[in-house]
Amino acid sequence: MSETDRSLSTTPRLFVPGALAAGAAISLDAPQSHYLASVMRRQPGDMVRLFNGRDGEWAARVTAVAKKAVALVAEQQSAPQEQVADLWLCAAPLKKGRIDWLVEKACELGVARLQLVTTQRTVVDKPNLERLGAHLVEAAEQSGRTAVPDLPAPLPLERLLKSWPEGRALIFADEKGGEAMAATLARVPAPAAILIGPEGGFTPDERAAIRAHRGAIALSLGPRILRAETAALAAVAVWQALNGH
Ligand code: SAM
């Protein structure tokens, strides 16, 4: 590792919405400025790593520091844009705390999209997408991702199934039994999606509708009933190990 690489690996890493290119001027918002100026105590001349989900990661130099307004200029690309394995996690919204944890870990494990799905037994009506989106950004910042997973509006299960894209495998984690995990996931490359039920599981009608869906693959995650968030992460981690990055 070169001296530059070593110092960059310890520099703060932030998501910014604007375009990144050599010479691009960036103004941070108030919370990020506070973080850099007051928490990380960065000064003009210090380096920061920036990414925006599109242009890779950039080494940027701090040019001005005020409590609520830090300015930087991007100098050179420090990492290319990540090649994201095309895996969606489709999961029912869970209670606060559990869903926050799931969102963070799903981002760390490299999902391309987190699609929330409402089902008959879903207990959380209106998930807070703003809070969940902020967790995705934070997880991308700390895990070195240059892509932030998409977080579209939640969809009822019926609509999700009706609008299912041609060619995307639908891997359905079925606690009542299905095909063995490792051998099955090894033969289901991208584009794929893993569907996980809510705390109370899917209703019999929902299970039947999913199983009847063109191309659905019912998957068993083993003999134990896992919490929804454990099930989601186990399936995503194994899929990534076999097909992803
Ligand atoms: N209340 C349900 C029951 O007792 O049968 C359990 C639901 S489980 C907490 C939530 C979701 O995790 C399920 O809908 C399923 O998608 C997934 N899941 C949990 N354990 C699983 C397993 N052993 N195999 C496949 N999927 C599992």
Side-chain angles (χ1 to χ4, degrees):
M1 205 189 250
S2 72
E3 203 48 49
T4 315
D5 289 343
R6 214 183 338 272
S7 74
L8 273 178
S9 68
T10 56
T11 42
R13 201 170 177 275
L14 294 175
F15 175 85
V16 292
L20 290 170
I26 294 110
S27 303
L28 297 184
D29 63 20
Q32 287 180 324
S33 297
H34 168 75
Y35 168 72
L36 268 196
S38 307
V39 181
M40 302 304 288
R41 304 206 168 278
R42 297 294 131 155
Q43 304 287 335
D46 287 346
M47 298 304 287
V48 174
R49 293 181 294 162
L50 302 177
F51 68 103
N52 61 8
R54 310 181 296 279
D55 299 323
E57 182 192 271
W58 284 75
R61 194 171 296 280
V62 176
T63 52
V65 176
K67 246 188 177 173
K68 290 187 176 169
V70 169
L72 308 103
V73 67
E75 291 193 345
Q76 60 183 22
Q77 197 181 49
S78 45
Q81 182 60 29
E82 167 189 353
Q83 296 297 307
V84 183
D86 191 358
L87 176 68
W88 295 357
L89 173 61
C90 302
L94 306 172
K95 287 184 190 148
K96 193 171 173 223
R98 294 196 180 282
I99 190 70
D100 294 335
W101 190 82
L102 171 59
V103 162
E104 179 184 285
K105 303 304 166 205
C107 179
E108 288 175 26
L109 287 171
V111 300
R113 169 176 293 194
L114 180 68
Q115 175 65 65
L116 296 176
V117 188
T118 52
T119 69
Q120 289 174 35
R121 293 180 182 155
T122 300
V123 290
V124 178
D125 278 350
K126 288 199 178 108
N128 182 334
L129 288 193
E130 203 178 316
R131 192 186 80 238
L132 298 180
H135 286 316
L136 286 175
V137 167
E138 264 174 46
E141 285 174 345
Q142 75 78 34
S143 63
R145 290 197 65 171
T146 52
V148 180
D150 296 338
L151 181 66
L155 280 177
L157 178 64
E158 203 186 333
R159 273 192 34 217
L160 177 79
L161 295 179
K162 267 196 188 135
S163 61
W164 197 256
E166 193 65 44
R168 180 174 296 275
L170 169 55
I171 303 163
F172 159 48
D174 188 352
E175 70 271 20
K176 304 283 186 239
E179 298 183 41
M181 176 154 61
T184 306
L185 293 185
R187 62 173 176 78
V188 188
I194 293 168
L195 174 61
I196 304 286
E199 288 93 336
F202 292 106
T203 63
D205 287 357
E206 288 173 333
R207 287 184 59 250
I210 301 165
R211 278 179 165 258
H213 195 269
R214 140 186 57 88
I217 300 156
L219 190 72
S220 167
L221 302 176
R224 292 160 294 276
I225 301 293
L226 308 177
R227 282 190 182 273
E229 65 273 26
T230 317
L233 297 182
V236 169
V238 173
W239 188 92
Q240 288 284 30
L242 294 166
N243 302 284
H245 314 293

